[in-house]
Amino acid sequence: MSIRDFIPEWSVPRQIKGADRWALGPAAQSRHQAQLTPRTKKADRVVKSVCPYCAVGCGQRIFVENEKITQIEGDPASPISRGRLCPKGSATRSLVQSPMREYKVKYRRPYGTEWEELSLDEAMDMIADRVIKTREETWEDEDEEGCHLHRTLGFAHLGGATLDNEENYLIKKFFTAMGAIQIENQARI
Ligand code: SF4
């Protein structure tokens, strides 16, 4: 590039001649940059949502183009997060569209070295059978002094951060009804 071509491309003359003396705006912009447009500009619609990853519940703006998510950003209107998302919340597009997302139940048998694919029905039946069997084998009706216990210490429940209030309410009721006393949720910030 000759010096004649270079000078107009250089930010310093624009800084000196124009209003943007500190080169915080247009003076610092190259011709290439000026032609760039954010991919959010092409979105067909923007859907408001809440980040599902943890109990903070940051507000999200989800940009959709051709029924595919193209970008997820913090929602400035959210009184909780005021436009911010942490790295997990910023990556939630992958939660929906990552090619690595699993859609099948994976099971590794005791002493197995490979993952097997199970149908959801088969996996649910296996879980139900084990819960019933464990409950029968570990049920404690009363203690040695005859006080009622009506419980099992044979299984516990640990909820994930993507469960909402209503789901946690139902899980607590269900596991308490089965006699479990170790019921927790991982989400606590
Ligand atoms: S994971 Fe991050 S972005 Fe999502 S709700 Fe929690 S703090 Fe907010």
Side-chain angles (χ1 to χ4, degrees):
M1 185 187 281
S2 70
I3 191 80
R4 194 185 289 268
D5 294 334
F6 171 70
I7 294 291
E9 295 292 322
W10 192 25
S11 63
V12 173
R14 290 199 296 274
Q15 226 174 310
I16 295 167
K17 283 197 290 183
D20 184 15
R21 289 289 157 89
W22 296 103
L24 298 174
Q29 208 170 42
S30 69
R31 210 171 343 167
H32 173 69
Q33 261 184 323
Q35 286 165 358
L36 295 176
T37 50
R39 60 173 171 265
T40 51
K41 281 260 187 240
K42 294 191 289 164
D44 301 321
R45 63 183 196 278
V46 182
V47 182
K48 290 200 175 215
S49 188
V50 176
C51 174
Y53 265 134
C54 88
V56 175
C58 299
Q60 292 184 322
R61 299 176 79 218
I62 301 180
F63 296 81
V64 181
E65 185 184 343
N66 297 327
E67 297 309 308
K68 290 258 185 245
I69 298 171
T70 53
Q71 173 74 344
I72 295 182
E73 293 183 351
D75 183 0
S78 165
I80 308 291
S81 49
R82 290 180 291 167
R84 298 170 182 87
L85 292 176
C86 79
K88 277 199 304 179
S90 304
T92 39
R93 181 179 157 204
S94 295
L95 188 68
V96 185
Q97 289 177 181
S98 168
M100 294 172 72
R101 182 177 169 165
E102 292 288 354
Y103 289 92
K104 298 265 173 60
V105 176
K106 300 278 187 189
Y107 178 62
R108 192 156 64 90
R109 293 181 187 277
Y111 307 107
T113 55
E114 302 290 332
W115 291 100
E116 298 170 36
E117 281 185 4
L118 297 182
S119 72
L120 186 58
D121 283 347
E122 195 181 349
M124 294 299 279
D125 284 346
M126 285 168 68
I127 293 167
D129 289 346
R130 289 173 190 196
V131 168
I132 293 166
K133 182 169 181 284
T134 305
R135 187 173 182 272
E136 283 171 359
E137 289 173 354
T138 60
W139 185 255
E140 296 175 66
D141 215 33
E142 50 187 41
D143 65 14
E144 56 280 359
E145 290 164 3
C147 296
H148 293 307
L149 293 174
H150 296 165
R151 72 179 188 191
T152 172
L153 300 180
F155 53 76
H157 187 276
L158 178 62
T162 53
L163 295 165
D164 59 28
N165 276 352
E166 291 73 19
E167 287 163 336
N168 278 315
Y169 174 83
L170 291 172
I171 286 167
K172 172 76 173 93
K173 288 277 177 202
F174 178 56
F175 274 82
T176 302
M178 288 199 295
I181 57 172
Q182 299 150 138
I183 305 163
E184 254 298 359
N185 190 293
Q186 161 267 333
R188 47 182 73 253
I189 287 187

